[in-house]
Amino acid sequence: MDLKSLQGGHQRIGVAIGGGGARGAAAIGVLKVLEAVGLRPQMVAGTSAGAIIGALYCSGHSPSDLQRLFCTQRRWRSLVSASAIEQLLRQLCPPTFSQLNIPLCCVATDIGTYTEQRLVSGDLARSVRASMAMPGWFSAVEIGGRRLVDGGLINNLPTDVVRQMGADVVVAIDLQQITFWHTRFSLKDSLGIGGLLHWAVSHPEVERRRRNIALADIYVRPELSAIDGYLFSNSRNSRMIGLGERAALKALGMQ
């Protein structure tokens, strides 16, 4: 898609931020570039780590604000828990979706029915916590009588969600690094906490992902395979933000 045709136009730009564990910081670099070239998102859909970045961004925190937040933390060890992340979001974000500057949808999975749940109203921090509740690491979150877990089990790159929110142009930020082009993956092959976490971060269902990549008008996939998806640090985040910027410039034909 031609960048000049989007700049200053009347098309509604939506961003889908995929899940990726600790690799979520790369999305900040992509948002920095989008704003720098005049492509300001008017709606966001996020899954797991993408829901965290989306909630912060839609609350009014600029990409530069987020870069400072992610690169100057002194308490990463204490933040690696669902309750700590929820508490931080309550400090930095409004209490409900209706108070956001930009519409946001957090994608979660109903563990009882194995169906996608799109959270767009109510308690924002709790909804984000549900979207990032990776089985084996975080406990399920009850919302509206449903037990919800990580949205990446169903829809790790929610381009279809942001399109249905009304976006004319969809930017996909894909943080997944290992791609399975077959559908024979089974949880039976990934027993144990480590296997479940690896699957949740790197192996969401295949056909949905393939369709959602095709839905993107601008597809950004930073090269993050050399960066651990489970370890958080200021230096890693700084590096990933730079990689996100580079990938966005490439996707926009500017590099």
Side-chain angles (χ1 to χ4, degrees):
M1 181 167 288
D2 180 52
L3 177 58
K4 290 184 178 180
S5 68
L6 298 177
Q7 293 169 323
H10 300 290
Q11 300 185 83
R12 291 165 56 82
I13 297 171
V15 175
I17 309 177
R23 298 188 179 108
I28 297 169
V30 180
L31 292 170
K32 282 183 67 177
V33 170
L34 292 178
E35 288 205 356
V37 300
L39 302 182
R40 298 185 66 88
Q42 293 161 277
M43 61 204 71
V44 175
T47 297
S48 198
I52 298 174
I53 301 297
L56 292 166
Y57 181 72
C58 292
S59 294
H61 298 286
S62 70
S64 295
D65 293 335
L66 297 182
Q67 183 168 8
R68 284 191 293 271
L69 175 66
F70 274 71
C71 297
T72 60
Q73 282 291 331
R74 297 181 180 179
R75 51 176 181 156
W76 281 115
R77 186 181 298 274
S78 65
L79 282 174
V80 186
S81 73
S83 59
I85 294 172
E86 181 178 346
Q87 182 179 8
L88 180 65
L89 289 170
R90 292 195 185 282
Q91 294 171 0
L92 298 175
C93 301
T96 66
F97 284 84
S98 62
Q99 295 167 284
L100 291 169
N101 293 358
I102 301 171
L104 170 70
C105 176
C106 298
V107 178
T109 301
D110 183 330
I111 197 64
T113 60
Y114 203 72
T115 55
E116 176 182 292
Q117 299 298 308
R118 300 180 181 184
L119 306 174
V120 296
S121 63
D123 190 320
L124 177 62
R126 188 164 182 79
S127 296
V128 173
R129 180 171 175 171
S131 180
M132 52 160 277
M134 288 188 289
W137 192 333
F138 300 137
S139 59
V141 177
E142 185 169 335
I143 296 178
R146 298 177 181 272
R147 296 181 67 248
L148 305 182
V149 296
D150 197 299
L153 300 178
I154 294 287
N155 190 358
N156 201 53
L157 185 64
T159 55
D160 54 344
V161 176
V162 81
R163 179 76 74 184
Q164 290 168 25
M165 292 172 71
D168 301 311
V169 177
V170 174
V171 180
I173 305 176
D174 188 357
L175 305 177
Q176 184 179 335
Q177 297 302 297
I178 301 175
T179 302
F180 279 73
W181 296 111
H182 60 77
T183 57
R184 296 186 297 275
F185 179 78
S186 171
L187 280 176
K188 293 180 181 179
D189 299 325
S190 290
L191 296 177
I193 290 177
L196 285 170
L197 292 178
H198 188 228
W199 181 73
V201 172
S202 302
H203 306 78
E205 54 77 36
V206 177
E207 291 302 326
R208 182 74 169 276
R209 168 180 159 78
R210 186 183 300 174
R211 293 194 302 269
N212 280 0
I213 289 174
L215 280 176
D217 299 295
I218 300 172
Y219 177 66
V220 186
R221 185 170 181 259
E223 176 48 60
L224 305 170
S225 58
I227 298 175
D228 196 300
Y230 311 113
L231 298 178
F232 296 83
S233 75
N234 294 337
S235 59
R236 284 190 181 90
N237 288 341
S238 180
R239 182 182 174 193
M240 286 188 287
I241 290 170
L243 291 171
E245 291 182 64
R246 185 183 309 170
L249 290 170
K250 182 178 180 180
L252 293 169
M254 300 176 65
Q255 189 180 77

